[in-house]
Amino acid sequence: VGDGDDITYESHWNDPETNIKYGTKYISFLIEYYKGDNIAALAAYNAGLKNVNGWLGANKQLQIDEIEFSETEDYVKKVLESEINYKELLKKEK
């Protein structure tokens, strides 16, 4: 937010456009950071880089059963299931 703006940083927390903008930039960063490992990227989006880096250890890709937080495991599963559902819907529209 620039000089002279009446908008505070906090006022953007509930703004969908701002949330989508920053959320997509962050997930893009995570996918690149984890070299295309979508499971690690999604887990890091939910649980943070430090946790995921600890779970990875010497592994090159994170497996769902290696996620130590049930909330994060559920989150990753839901996002991956949603991806499948959206792809199916897109096929039907074509």
Side-chain angles (χ1 to χ4, degrees), residues 59-76:
N59 295 332
K60 297 203 180 209
Q61 284 199 310
L62 184 66
Q63 303 300 310
I64 291 176
D65 63 352
E66 295 173 315
I67 298 171
E68 295 181 16
F69 301 156
S70 60
E71 174 190 324
T72 301
E73 182 179 349
D74 291 344
Y75 172 80
V76 170

Side-chain angles (χ1 to χ4, degrees), residues 32-52:
E32 186 175 326
Y33 180 86
Y34 288 110
K35 297 177 177 35
D37 182 351
N38 289 342
I39 292 173
L42 291 168
Y45 190 88
N46 184 266
L49 288 162
K50 184 178 179 182
N51 288 312
V52 173

Side-chain angles (χ1 to χ4, degrees), residues 75-87:
Y75 172 80
V76 170
K77 287 178 180 177
K78 286 178 186 175
V79 172
L80 294 175
E81 287 171 13
S82 294
E83 178 186 27
I84 292 167
N85 292 335
Y86 281 118
K87 284 181 178 179

